[in-house]
Amino acid sequence: MTARPPAGYGYVSAASLPSVAPRPTLRDVATQAGVHPATASRALNEATRSLVRPATVARVREVAAALGYQVNPIARSLKTSRSETVGVLVPDLTNPLFPPIVRGIEDALADSGYTVLTANTDNDPARTSSNFAAMQARQVDGFIVATALLDDPLMHDAAERGVPMVLVNRLTEHLDVSAVSADDATGIERTVAHLVELGHRDIAHVAGPLRVSTGAVRLRAFRAAMQSHGLRDDRVVEAEAYSEAAGRTALLRLLDGNRPTAIVAGNDLLALGCYDALAETGLSCPDDVSIVGFNDMPFINRLQPPLTSVRVPQYDLGVEAARLLLDRLSGRTVTPRVVLLPVRLVVRGSTAPPPTVKRPARAAG
Amino acid sequence: MTARPPAGYGYVSAASLPSVAPRPTLRDVATQAGVHPATASRALNEATRSLVRPATVARVREVAAALGYQVNPIARSLKTSRSETVGVLVPDLTNPLFPPIVRGIEDALADSGYTVLTANTDNDPARTSSNFAAMQARQVDGFIVATALLDDPLMHDAAERGVPMVLVNRLTEHLDVSAVSADDATGIERTVAHLVELGHRDIAHVAGPLRVSTGAVRLRAFRAAMQSHGLRDDRVVEAEAYSEAAGRTALLRLLDGNRPTAIVAGNDLLALGCYDALAETGLSCPDDVSIVGFNDMPFINRLQPPLTSVRVPQYDLGVEAARLLLDRLSGRTVTPRVVLLPVRLVVRGSTAPPPTVKRPARAAG
DNA sequence: AGCGTCCTTGCAAACGACTGCATGCTCGGG
DNA sequence: CCCGAGCATGCAGTCGTTTGCAAGGACGCT
């Protein structure tokens, strides 16, 4: 075996091409500035800069700039065991709920020099565990978690050990961690109020999976709201997942009995599924049944009919989560906080007064 | 100042709690297995395993498993100057085109043990540069770039220096890098053929920005297709961006003259903008004007009317890009390749035969 | 029986930055 | 004029792995 340069990098003898100049190291800067690497390090480092004579600082920084020096985050991480990187775990980036959140996180973190490692868990325990472990191994300084499963032992342990962690759009009662979420309860409350105002009395709820915190929270809010209006709060069916298919199935099950005049769907995807179910049953929205979604996904205003939905400030959710984490990382805040962001009911074409023909005993007019 | 443990990690005196066991290091494994760290390293490392006696390998691996040892990627990176990490640059994760691509990339890379660093550039040169630099500093092994701007000097230099890089959904002629893209030309060709078959002759193109490669490619394809049918190929207006607003503006400009019976939009967002413009002008789609989009975004089948569009296999685009990059990183392939993935025209309600009233001289029937 | 050759393993030097400690210098006060 | 304090800087070890080199042992062959 003859010695070979590593393949793939267009390696050439130094004579022929201006061979790729290796990135300058701290030592290069130091030498060129006529100081010891330690001094250069201190001069370049915000926190230790005060230990170095201003003139020296200036000289070092000049040289560094001239050489285009950038610290090697890897070497730094090895020594400091921090990485200026945070891990973001989402179930599925393809779900329109998450991109704005992730975007908000990235924007907010980038301002502080952090970068983001993302992974999709599909809410699958195995994937969650392995992704989480991989991120921990890469020394991420903290986590932002939008995944449902907090039962993951790895994650649970980590949280209890005090690994910085913020939950987005998911709450937990078992664990003492910061979380930021939309004010789902108020959203549901307004939704119910809106429907009641339109004249609905038979209102059903197609709930998201109850093992997911949003599913449980919204169901509870639905019950509370219905009770406060003195209405039956037990017309509820749980969807198996937050998906169109699950929404369709759930509503079909519900329509089997005597049908409600309005449906509060656990989220927009479920609402879309409800559209399908209604279409299959020959019912019309909103003439026969009104439907309200949750999240106000992009383009949902262009559906037929445009969906009334609760707008969740997803981007801000991400930004706020990032802030919480940054506070935690900087040591400013240590006690977990829960932040609820306000929501807004956006009324569109999918909600209308109930059909009066519903009570055939009365006059049809 | 009394010495203080670093804040925020629930630090306690070693006696009171089972203090957080630091992750075992290679040295721990070695000691416990009664070998030198170097041997342990070789035993644990796929590529060097053959240098170690099988019995020793087994012993080391057992101990490693028992201790729950995982290599420290940071230390490894420092030594090998590779990071098992790739950088992904997208303009905006919030644009529904990109999540599936990113997801495909992540899934394909995860299988090979790579993790993904993502950043949004907004197609802004400054953001692009700084993100790119930050990723390079973090020793990413390669890049997958979905951003329009290849003029970025940093990126351009990097590409020429042979930094592994794959373009997604963007092509370039100035640079010799691998790229994977949808077969846009064929998509447009099929679109035009479909419209012609329906009876359309006056077909216009609302093109995406021409400085973006997809904009240019699709325009060229449109011209070619029209010519091949012997039709006028100059009814074209360029949108300033791939956005609904730009699509609306562009079409309004176009409708000023005598109007076409069908519109080929540069992508779905532009098509949505066209919907708006038609609505404002009191025209109906598809009765007065047919519209075709590009990309087949999620939920676009639920619009009013459901949009005929060219389906692009976005997820596969991401997977393929990841594969190309992996090939490159493993040194198997060094010559750049361009991969075009097949597309499919999905016909829905936004396309119909042209209104016959258009030629008032003829019979109205 | 001796010697050469693998094969297996150990040694130690990196990779690049950070940091506790030591050192040398300057300056001021008595 | 001397000494101590304090500031600025240098020294060297360290983080956890990888890897070229060398050494030791076992084995086969003559």
Side-chain angles (χ1 to χ4, degrees):
Chain A
M1 255 187 285
T2 62
R4 264 269 191 83
Y9 275 82
Y11 197 97
V12 287
S13 80
S16 69
L17 266 187
S19 83
V20 181
R23 283 205 302 145
T25 125
L26 190 55
R27 197 200 254 38
D28 297 334
V29 175
T31 315
Q32 192 133 155
V35 297
H36 192 271
T39 307
S41 168
R42 287 189 271 251
L44 262 18
N45 227 303
E46 190 60 54
T48 50
R49 177 150 26 245
S50 61
L51 297 176
V52 180
R53 193 158 46 109
T56 312
V57 171
R59 189 154 32 99
V60 170
R61 301 189 74 182
E62 262 170 41
V63 173
L67 261 46
Y69 169 79
Q70 291 175 244
V71 310
N72 181 329
I74 304 239
R76 170 180 286 174
S77 291
L78 181 57
K79 181 64 180 161
T80 63
S81 63
R82 287 173 307 109
S83 63
E84 308 260 279
T85 295
V86 323
V88 173
L89 290 172
V90 296
D92 179 12
L93 200 53
T94 278
N95 179 331
L97 177 61
F98 296 109
I101 296 181
V102 173
R103 181 78 213 261
I105 294 173
E106 290 197 355
D107 286 356
L109 287 179
D111 288 346
S112 307
Y114 281 80
T115 49
V116 172
L117 232 38
T118 48
N120 300 89
T121 68
D122 282 330
N123 279 334
D124 168 30
R127 280 192 74 140
T128 306
S129 269
S130 72
N131 283 321
F132 189 82
M135 286 180 170
Q136 277 213 117
R138 280 181 164 78
Q139 307 262 35
V140 299
D141 298 337
F143 289 91
I144 296 183
V145 179
T147 277
L149 307 165
L150 287 185
D151 335 346
D152 184 86
L154 232 58
M155 236 164 79
H156 197 274
D157 287 1
E160 291 204 325
R161 269 203 331 263
V163 171
M165 186 178 296
V166 173
L167 269 33
V168 190
N169 212 40
R170 296 279 184 272
L171 302 178
T172 175
E173 285 156 5
H174 315 298
L175 219 46
D176 213 23
V177 298
S178 283
V180 27
S181 177
D183 187 355
D184 286 12
T186 302
I188 293 289
E189 195 179 300
R190 298 236 175 99
T191 300
V192 170
H194 165 64
L195 292 171
V196 168
E197 193 168 337
L198 285 175
H200 292 276
R201 295 297 175 265
D202 286 342
I203 306 176
H205 182 39
V206 173
L210 297 182
R211 61 187 165 72
V212 177
S213 82
T214 53
V217 167
R218 290 174 197 166
L219 170 58
R220 206 178 320 141
F222 173 77
R223 289 233 161 92
M226 291 297 280
Q227 283 166 16
S228 83
H229 286 282
L231 299 175
R232 273 184 61 189
D233 69 344
D234 61 346
R235 313 200 58 170
V236 170
V237 56
E238 176 185 358
E240 277 177 8
Y242 274 131
S243 70
E244 298 174 70
R248 175 180 158 279
T249 314
L251 183 53
L252 286 177
R253 216 168 343 134
L254 190 70
L255 290 178
D256 246 15
N258 71 336
R259 68 167 200 266
T261 63
I263 292 163
V264 176
N267 79 357
D268 290 341
L269 291 176
L270 293 179
L272 287 181
C274 292
Y275 274 25
D276 293 341
L278 287 189
E280 284 175 37
T281 338
L283 293 172
S284 141
C285 170
D287 294 338
D288 297 317
V289 180
S290 289
I291 297 184
V292 183
F294 208 106
N295 282 342
D296 196 30
M297 297 191 326
F299 308 119
I300 212 155
N301 54 327
R302 296 186 173 265
L303 299 188
Q304 185 60 358
L307 182 66
T308 295
S309 186
V310 175
R311 172 165 305 169
V312 171
Q314 290 138 350
Y315 182 88
D316 298 331
L317 241 45
V319 170
E320 192 56 32
R323 278 211 200 110
L324 248 47
L325 188 62
L326 287 173
D327 276 1
R328 180 73 169 67
L329 290 177
S330 67
R332 260 171 291 161
T333 318
V334 286
T335 52
R337 270 183 294 166
V338 172
V339 176
L340 290 187
L341 263 41
V343 300
R344 192 159 72 79
L345 179 68
V346 181
V347 176
R348 302 203 183 89
S350 68
T351 45
T356 47
V357 292
K358 244 220 98 195
R359 308 219 186 294
R362 309 275 174 89
Chain B
M1 254 187 285
T2 61
R4 266 267 191 84
Y9 275 83
Y11 198 97
V12 287
S13 79
S16 68
L17 266 185
S19 83
V20 181
R23 285 205 301 144
T25 122
L26 189 55
R27 194 197 254 42
D28 298 334
V29 175
T31 315
Q32 192 133 154
V35 298
H36 192 271
T39 307
S41 168
R42 287 190 271 253
L44 262 18
N45 225 302
E46 189 60 54
T48 50
R49 179 153 22 245
S50 60
L51 297 175
V52 179
R53 194 158 48 111
T56 313
V57 171
R59 189 156 31 100
V60 170
R61 301 188 73 182
E62 261 169 42
V63 173
L67 260 47
Y69 169 79
Q70 290 176 244
V71 310
N72 181 330
I74 304 239
R76 170 179 285 173
S77 290
L78 181 58
K79 182 65 182 160
T80 63
S81 65
R82 286 173 307 108
S83 62
E84 309 259 279
T85 295
V86 322
V88 173
L89 290 172
V90 297
D92 179 12
L93 201 54
T94 277
N95 179 329
L97 178 61
F98 295 109
I101 296 181
V102 173
R103 182 77 214 260
I105 293 173
E106 290 196 357
D107 286 357
L109 287 179
D111 289 345
S112 306
Y114 281 80
T115 48
V116 172
L117 232 37
T118 48
N120 300 89
T121 68
D122 282 330
N123 279 333
D124 168 29
R127 279 192 75 140
T128 307
S129 269
S130 73
N131 282 322
F132 189 81
M135 285 179 170
Q136 277 212 117
R138 280 182 163 78
Q139 306 262 34
V140 300
D141 298 338
F143 288 92
I144 296 183
V145 179
T147 278
L149 308 166
L150 287 185
D151 335 347
D152 183 87
L154 231 59
M155 235 164 78
H156 197 274
D157 288 0
E160 291 204 324
R161 269 202 331 263
V163 171
M165 186 178 296
V166 174
L167 269 33
V168 190
N169 210 41
R170 296 280 183 273
L171 302 177
T172 175
E173 286 157 4
H174 315 298
L175 219 46
D176 214 24
V177 298
S178 283
V180 27
S181 177
D183 187 354
D184 287 11
T186 302
I188 293 288
E189 195 179 300
R190 299 236 175 98
T191 301
V192 171
H194 165 65
L195 292 171
V196 167
E197 194 167 336
L198 284 175
H200 292 274
R201 294 297 174 265
D202 286 340
I203 306 176
H205 181 41
V206 173
L210 297 182
R211 62 187 164 70
V212 177
S213 83
T214 52
V217 166
R218 290 173 197 167
L219 171 58
R220 206 178 320 139
F222 174 77
R223 290 233 161 92
M226 291 296 281
Q227 283 166 18
S228 84
H229 287 281
L231 298 175
R232 274 182 62 187
D233 68 345
D234 59 346
R235 312 201 59 171
V236 170
V237 55
E238 176 185 358
E240 278 176 8
Y242 274 129
S243 70
E244 298 173 71
R248 174 180 158 280
T249 314
L251 183 53
L252 286 178
R253 217 168 343 133
L254 190 69
L255 290 177
D256 246 14
N258 70 337
R259 67 166 202 266
T261 63
I263 293 163
V264 177
N267 79 357
D268 290 340
L269 290 176
L270 293 179
L272 287 181
C274 292
Y275 274 27
D276 293 340
L278 287 188
E280 285 174 37
T281 337
L283 293 171
S284 139
C285 171
D287 294 337
D288 298 316
V289 179
S290 289
I291 296 185
V292 183
F294 208 105
N295 282 342
D296 196 30
M297 297 190 326
F299 308 118
I300 212 154
N301 54 325
R302 298 189 173 261
L303 299 188
Q304 185 60 357
L307 183 66
T308 295
S309 186
V310 175
R311 172 165 305 169
V312 171
Q314 290 139 351
Y315 183 87
D316 298 331
L317 240 44
V319 170
E320 191 58 31
R323 279 212 199 109
L324 248 46
L325 188 62
L326 286 173
D327 276 2
R328 180 74 168 67
L329 290 177
S330 67
R332 261 171 289 163
T333 319
V334 284
T335 52
R337 270 182 294 166
V338 171
V339 176
L340 290 187
L341 264 40
V343 300
R344 191 159 72 80
L345 179 68
V346 180
V347 177
R348 301 202 182 91
S350 68
T351 45
T356 47
V357 292
K358 240 220 102 196
R359 307 223 186 293
R362 310 275 174 89

